[in-house]
Amino acid sequence: MAFRLVARPTTIVAGLVAPGVEPGPESSASDLVTFLRERIREREPAGTDIWTVYLPDQRGVSNVVVGVPRAEVQDVPVGDVFVTVPAGAFAVFEASMTLPDRTEDAWSQVEEAVADGGVTRAGGPEFECLAADGNVEIFVSVLLR
């Protein structure tokens, strides 16, 4: 399990939303999230990274927005929702290819890092960045010690 820590600026992500989707490999590979990614990929230029942003609410339930980063709110297409991922510290996980599915592999590293205490989740937004070539990075909002 390897990860790097990064500081990210505030980012606007616009796209399609689904309620009650928990972060992890099961939801990432679900038919609904896959469908939303396909709709976004169809309308964006080739090579665009697709983000899957998991947003926890006050009840501990997460909603997901599948979309792309936008420079300004004015750039959000009509009909899309948008979220602002706040600036913060994130642990970034990439697939090590110990499992055949890249996303499942990266999420298993997240789970391992949390279980062994290497990462303490901050309870903020988490997101997957799926590149057009199939590479995936998972950004987990963390508390710095």
Side-chain angles (χ1 to χ4, degrees), residues 17-38:
V17 66
V21 178
E22 292 301 316
E26 296 83 17
S27 58
S28 180
S30 72
D31 290 342
L32 176 58
V33 172
T34 300
F35 174 80
L36 295 177
R37 283 190 192 118
E38 289 170 358

Side-chain angles (χ1 to χ4, degrees), residues 57-115:
D57 67 15
Q58 307 86 324
R59 300 168 296 149
V61 175
S62 291
N63 299 306
V64 69
V65 172
V66 177
V68 296
R70 301 290 181 188
E72 302 288 333
V73 172
Q74 295 82 355
D75 299 333
V76 174
V78 172
D80 276 11
V81 299
F82 71 91
V83 295
T84 302
V85 178
F90 292 84
V92 183
F93 297 84
E94 296 180 53
S96 63
M97 297 318 297
T98 55
L99 296 173
D101 180 88
R102 291 177 180 181
T103 304
E104 183 179 355
D105 185 306
W107 275 112
S108 71
Q109 292 182 54
V110 171
E111 292 165 0
E112 183 181 333
V114 170

Side-chain angles (χ1 to χ4, degrees), residues 36-57:
L36 295 177
R37 283 190 192 118
E38 289 170 358
R39 297 298 71 79
I40 296 295
R41 193 160 309 280
E42 286 173 357
R43 70 176 198 198
E44 295 297 327
T48 300
D49 293 345
I50 305 297
W51 286 32
T52 304
V53 182
Y54 299 92
L55 301 153
D57 67 15

